[in-house]
Amino acid sequence: DTEGLLRIKEENQKHYRRAQRHLEKKEKIQRHNRKLGDLVEKKTYDLKAQYEQLANLRRAHILELTSVIFPMQEVKTSMRDPADVSSESDNAMTSSTVSKLAEARRTTYLSGRWVCDDHNGDTSISITGPWIILPNNGDYSAYYNWVEEKKTTQGPDMEHNNPAHTISAALCYATQLVNTLSLILDVNLPKKLCNRQVKTQQGNHEFCGENLSRHRFTRAVKKLNANILHLCFSQHVNLDLLHPLHTLRNLMYLVSPDSENLGR
């Protein structure tokens, strides 16, 4: 029994010495973890500072881009609707019919119901210059109406101030701006939309080439609006300000100097 007791004491001493070594090793690991924690915290702070610096740089580039190359502003349009002119010239058209047509143009079908659009026809958004404008309410029917009319009319096109030309140019510039913003912000766009005037097997790219059919035009506009909304979501633009059909107005909210998250 005495010999067994001695053996047990020796084993206990070995376990105690081993426990001491493990405790020292544990304290060493804890010190190492504390150092790593401090290093990670410092790196995280530096990374956050780098993100802020990058955001400020992106923001400065975007504001310069939209003030020098792609300036946008809201303009009051004094142009009259062609339907108003034709209605006034038609003596058979009654005043009640004219008022009903005017009321119809001030309404928009949205989310399964008709809503009143107070800005319909009153204001437009210009891009790169006051002469290149888009309707504020996102109604681009003047473009494909003009295209369908040109199909039945032969001869050279001398109407350089036709709304269809300005709509096509404005959408082309908007596409170019959106593609540039996606590069600056490093955000992948959900829809592929090219703004270069090059020939492919399907024809010219989007808004820059030949007159598009109504189907191709509306499809391209939807893709452009989807890309703009995607950029707005990535930059935390207030959702209450956005409208799925307001192309340039959504862009104005995106690149506004008042946007706190621009460049994130």
Side-chain angles (χ1 to χ4, degrees):
D1 292 340
T2 302
E3 292 176 354
L5 180 61
L6 291 176
R7 286 195 303 270
I8 291 174
K9 288 182 177 179
E10 290 177 357
E11 291 178 0
N12 287 341
Q13 290 178 356
K14 291 180 180 179
H15 290 318
Y16 177 77
R17 288 192 296 268
R18 182 181 298 175
Q20 289 295 112
R21 291 195 300 270
H22 288 171
L23 183 60
E24 293 175 358
K25 189 175 182 180
K26 175 186 174 182
E27 293 177 351
K28 184 178 179 180
I29 293 175
Q30 288 178 344
R31 289 194 301 269
H32 181 68
N33 288 340
R34 284 193 294 268
K35 290 181 180 179
L36 287 180
D38 295 339
L39 181 61
V40 169
E41 184 178 357
K42 182 180 182 301
K43 292 292 185 181
T44 303
Y45 179 80
D46 294 341
L47 181 61
K48 185 178 179 181
Q50 291 291 333
Y51 276 144
E52 292 178 355
Q53 183 179 358
L54 179 60
N56 292 332
L57 187 61
R58 288 171 172 171
R59 181 186 183 91
H61 286 173
I62 291 174
L63 295 180
E64 183 178 9
L65 178 70
T66 54
S67 62
V68 178
I69 303 178
F70 295 101
M72 290 180 291
Q73 62 179 351
E74 186 172 356
V75 295
K76 292 289 183 178
T77 55
S78 58
M79 295 185 303
R80 307 178 65 185
D81 195 301
D84 292 336
V85 179
S86 62
S87 299
E88 292 175 0
S89 61
D90 189 359
N91 295 329
M93 187 75 71
T94 62
S95 60
S96 60
T97 305
V98 174
S99 62
K100 289 180 181 179
L101 287 175
E103 181 181 359
R105 289 193 300 274
R106 287 193 297 269
T107 57
T108 303
Y109 190 75
L110 182 63
S111 301
R113 62 190 181 93
W114 291 96
V115 296
C116 180
D117 189 354
D118 294 334
H119 299 286
N120 193 337
D122 295 336
T123 61
S124 297
I125 307 295
S126 67
I127 182 171
T128 70
W131 54 89
I132 301 180
I133 58 176
L134 284 181
N136 179 58
N137 60 351
D139 180 14
Y140 309 140
S141 58
Y143 178 87
Y144 44 78
N145 288 341
W146 174 76
V147 172
E148 294 174 358
E149 181 181 352
K150 290 297 293 182
K151 291 180 181 179
T152 60
T153 305
Q154 300 297 329
D157 180 20
M158 302 300 294
E159 301 178 6
H160 299 291
N161 293 328
N162 191 292
H165 293 156
T166 59
I167 289 176
S168 177
L171 291 174
C172 184
Y173 284 133
T175 303
Q176 186 176 3
L177 174 58
V178 168
N179 291 340
T180 306
L181 290 176
S182 69
L183 295 177
I184 295 177
L185 296 173
D186 195 22
V187 176
N188 293 326
L189 298 176
K191 304 294 183 181
K192 185 177 181 180
L193 205 60
C194 186
N195 55 272
R196 294 176 299 170
Q197 189 174 1
V198 294
K199 274 284 187 178
T200 62
Q201 294 180 352
Q202 290 85 15
N204 284 325
H205 274 292
E206 311 306 345
F207 308 107
C208 303
E210 300 173 355
N211 300 330
L212 302 178
S213 64
R214 180 167 183 167
H215 172 72
R216 287 190 60 192
F217 179 82
T218 54
R219 181 173 177 268
V221 170
K222 289 179 181 179
K223 291 166 65 176
L224 175 60
N225 287 334
N227 287 342
I228 293 174
L229 290 175
H230 183 75
L231 288 178
C232 291
F233 299 154
S234 72
Q235 303 304 301
H236 290 180
V237 178
N238 186 359
L239 300 182
D240 296 332
L241 301 175
L242 302 177
H243 190 287
L245 301 180
H246 295 174
T247 307
L248 290 186
R249 182 167 292 278
N250 291 341
L251 262 180
M252 288 181 64
Y253 288 134
L254 171 65
V255 300
S256 172
D258 299 330
S259 179
E260 297 180 356
N261 297 302
L262 181 60
R264 65 181 296 276

